[in-house]
Amino acid sequence: VKDVPLFLDDDLFFISNDLVHFTSLLFLMRPFINNATKEAGTYRQNWYDARYLSYASVLHSAIYNFWDRIGDLLHCFFKTGLPNDKVYIGRVLNNFPAAHKESAIFKQINKIYMDRVRPFVCERNEDAHNQSLATTHFYRVILARGDEQRERTDLKLRLPDLFKEQIDLAHQGFELALRLIEERGQKL
């Protein structure tokens, strides 16, 4: 198809590699990060913890970017009516042609994105636009006590598993997008 940008295939490949690489690093570093509940409620961040949260920020952006490329891909094959500078996965799904919205595959992509990816991506937006993940975590841990502090620490410890889940969802979304294109994709 002549309208598919040449970089799209490479972008998906490189972003996918980043997702796997940085998530692997989180798994490797997790045993060495700070745990405020085991440090009497203090938070003197060590090197592993700093890198861990930095990589988690990179991963939030990479998840966002991967799904954005899925939106670019769908936009190439379906008339969404969006100008090229306004193509983002959420907008593509919202503006998808009505004739194709009844597809079981479209409904599956939309459900995965809206229910499981979008809330995760909204966390990325907070990190990217307001306050870094490291700063947010620092203040949440320091201001919290007891069970609340344990919950915050448990969330940080679950990050590798959460990103692994997001990788699986991203790859599932990409596969579904290809199946939707195969099923219904025709530039009219």
Side-chain angles (χ1 to χ4, degrees):
V1 174
K2 68 178 181 169
D3 292 335
V4 177
L6 295 175
F7 68 85
L8 193 55
D9 186 39
D10 292 332
D11 259 5
L12 287 164
F13 175 77
F14 290 127
I15 296 168
S16 184
N17 282 345
D18 284 349
L19 288 170
V20 172
H21 174 76
F22 286 110
T23 300
S24 298
L25 288 174
L26 290 185
F27 276 108
L28 290 171
M29 292 179 158
R30 182 167 52 187
F32 307 106
I33 64 173
N34 294 92
N35 184 333
T37 59
K38 294 180 180 178
E39 298 169 0
T42 63
Y43 188 64
R44 292 185 187 92
Q45 189 178 49
N46 65 29
W47 181 88
Y48 297 102
D49 198 79
R51 296 292 68 77
Y52 183 87
L53 292 173
S54 177
Y55 296 155
S57 289
V58 169
L59 282 161
H60 268 113
S61 291
I63 293 292
Y64 172 86
N65 289 336
F66 194 92
W67 279 92
D68 195 39
R69 295 313 175 277
I70 292 173
D72 292 338
L73 181 64
L74 291 172
H75 177 72
C76 289
F77 287 89
F78 297 93
K79 291 186 175 184
T80 64
L82 294 168
N84 288 338
D85 64 338
K86 302 291 184 204
V87 174
Y88 303 102
I89 184 67
R91 289 180 181 164
V92 168
L93 295 175
N94 285 336
N95 291 290
F96 217 70
H100 302 294
K101 280 190 173 183
E102 293 306 313
S103 164
I105 298 171
F106 173 81
K107 289 178 181 179
Q108 202 173 354
I109 293 171
N110 194 50
K111 182 166 181 47
I112 289 169
Y113 180 74
M114 296 306 287
D115 293 351
R116 302 195 48 210
V117 177
R118 189 170 183 269
F120 199 78
V121 167
C122 287
E123 291 176 26
R124 173 256 173 209
N125 290 341
E126 178 69 25
D127 183 36
H129 299 292
N130 296 324
Q131 188 173 12
S132 75
L133 186 61
T135 302
T136 299
H137 178 72
F138 175 78
Y139 281 108
R140 285 181 178 167
V141 167
I142 292 303
L143 296 175
R145 292 287 176 250
D147 289 340
E148 187 181 358
Q149 190 175 69
R150 199 170 0 274
E151 288 172 22
R152 303 285 186 207
T153 300
D154 288 348
L155 174 61
K156 183 172 84 167
L157 292 170
R158 285 196 327 266
L159 285 174
D161 302 301
L162 295 173
F163 283 113
K164 166 71 173 79
E165 179 183 312
Q166 287 296 318
I167 290 170
D168 293 342
L169 292 171
H171 290 159
Q172 185 179 357
F174 178 63
E175 180 183 340
L176 287 167
L178 293 177
R179 287 178 48 211
L180 183 62
I181 292 164
E182 181 179 59
E183 175 187 84
R184 298 180 174 240
Q186 301 173 29
K187 272 288 192 188
L188 300 174

